[in-house]
Every structure is written in structure tokens, then in C-alpha cells.
Amino acid sequence: MDNIIHIRRATKEDSPVIAQLAKKTFTETYSEISSHAAVQEYVEKKISPENIREELVNPLSCFYIGFINDEPVAFTKLRYDRMAKGLPGKKGIEVERIYVLKEHQGVKVGKEMMEKCRQVALREKFDIIWLQVWQHNHKAIQFYQKAGFVVYETALFSYGKDMEQDDFLMRLDLYY
């Protein structure tokens, strides 16, 4: 049976599903390089169902959920309210999160999620799509580069007490 990929905009009722996806993917990504306590602290503070619900009702962001055969396996969060570092004068939309469960990476759901981000950005007349990614997440960086993103700057990401990492800022210029 072929995998059927479906993407839809999330509602506040989806907060438990998104929190579960976020917790699993964040833990999979960072538990190998960070202390368990730091990862758990971030998960509890930043990606609880309550926090996700607050983010879902914020008019300056939107979420999409990706499904394979009706099973939720990915999500993305777009933000309209942040300026991209080092890109003054550019109307940018940020892909703050694009998370795909490890066991479903490589089956094109991430590619479809990124295409949804691009469609939203084009529809709303943004100049660029930008994002921040951990410099040692080579798989994610390759994925973004394949989607047309380029590294243009660096930034720090803090996700717990005394836990900082060096990130790349990447951008995709949109042309009409």
C-alpha cells in the first residue's frame, strides 16, 4: 500500500497531538547531545499541550499537521512576527519548527510540509522564508538545502539552563 500524505491546518483542538509529536522529535534529536534534565526542562516548559494551545490561537503564527495514512507524523509552525536577523527590509516568514518523526523521515512528508510553507509564504506575498537550525543537525541542513535554502548567518539557541548551541540561519528567497 502506498503512503498517502495529507496536510491540514491545525486547530487548538490539535494541541495534544502537536505536543506529543514535538516532545518525541525534540527528545530524539537532542537527547544524544544534551543532558536528559535539560531536554526534559525544555519539553515541559516550551512544548506542553497548554503552551502549544496558546501558540495555536496566536494570530501571528499558524501550524500545519502532516499525516501519513491518517496517522499524524509531522508538524510545522510558521511565525509572522519575527524579523530575520541580518535581513533588514525583507518581509520574511519564519519556519520556527518543522518536525517529522524519525521513523517517517525520508518518505516525503517533510518535503510536502516544506512545500506547504512555501505556498503560504507565496500566497501572503513574503519575500523570504527563513529558519534556524542546529549546526550539527546535518540531515536537517541537507533537507533545507535540497529545498533551496542557503546558510546566511549564525545565531545562538538556548533551550535550558546553561544549554546553548550554535545554529545556522538559513533563508529561501521567493521570486514572483
Side-chain angles (χ1 to χ4, degrees), residues 3 29 35 50 52 67 81 93 97 104 112 117 119 137 143 160 165 168:
N3 289 326
T29 302
S35 74
E50 298 77 26
I52 297 294
F67 298 84
D81 62 334
I93 187 169
R97 298 182 194 131
H104 295 286
E112 294 295 325
C117 295
Q119 289 170 4
N137 191 342
F143 169 78
Q165 67 187 33
F168 286 135

Side-chain angles (χ1 to χ4, degrees), residues 3-174:
N3 289 326
I4 299 170
I5 298 171
H6 170 69
I7 298 169
R8 69 164 171 80
R9 186 156 180 171
T11 67
K12 62 184 176 186
E13 287 76 24
D14 293 313
S15 62
V17 170
I18 293 172
Q20 182 181 19
L21 289 169
K23 179 179 180 178
K24 186 170 183 186
T25 53
F26 190 88
T27 303
E28 286 173 346
T29 302
Y30 292 104
S31 63
E32 296 176 12
I33 54 97
S34 298
S35 74
H36 178 73
V39 170
Q40 287 308 113
E41 178 184 348
Y42 182 84
V43 166
E44 289 171 16
K45 286 184 177 179
K46 298 289 186 180
I47 53 181
S48 69
E50 298 77 26
N51 284 356
I52 297 294
R53 186 177 176 90
E54 286 179 25
E55 292 177 16
L56 280 162
V57 299
N58 182 343
L60 299 175
S61 66
C62 67
F63 285 76
Y64 289 89
I65 301 176
F67 298 84
I68 296 179
N69 301 329
D70 297 323
E71 177 189 350
V73 300
F75 80 94
T76 190
K77 177 186 178 188
L78 296 170
R79 286 187 63 166
Y80 302 91
D81 62 334
R82 292 188 4 163
M83 296 292 296
K85 176 183 173 185
L87 299 174
K90 295 284 186 180
K91 182 180 176 190
I93 187 169
E94 178 187 12
V95 177
E96 185 179 51
R97 298 182 194 131
I98 183 164
Y99 290 0
V100 178
L101 293 176
K102 192 176 263 186
E103 63 266 26
H104 295 286
Q105 292 175 0
V107 296
K108 303 214 183 306
V109 69
K111 180 180 178 183
E112 294 295 325
M113 297 294 291
M114 187 56 75
E115 179 57 25
K116 176 58 78 175
C117 295
R118 195 172 89 53
Q119 289 170 4
V120 169
L122 288 169
R123 181 181 68 233
E124 299 187 22
K125 305 286 190 231
F126 283 93
D127 300 322
I128 60 163
I129 302 171
W130 68 282
L131 56 84
Q132 189 166 328
V133 61
W134 179 40
Q135 288 185 17
H136 297 288
N137 191 342
H138 303 292
K139 190 173 183 180
I141 293 166
Q142 287 176 334
F143 169 78
Y144 298 134
Q145 287 173 329
K146 198 171 184 180
F149 284 80
V150 295
V151 173
Y152 76 92
E153 181 68 82
T154 60
L156 281 179
F157 176 70
S158 178
Y159 62 95
K161 188 174 181 166
D162 302 320
M163 297 298 292
E164 289 185 342
Q165 67 187 33
D166 292 319
D167 284 359
F168 286 135
L169 295 178
M170 299 183 78
R171 69 188 269 182
L172 173 66
D173 293 307
L174 300 171

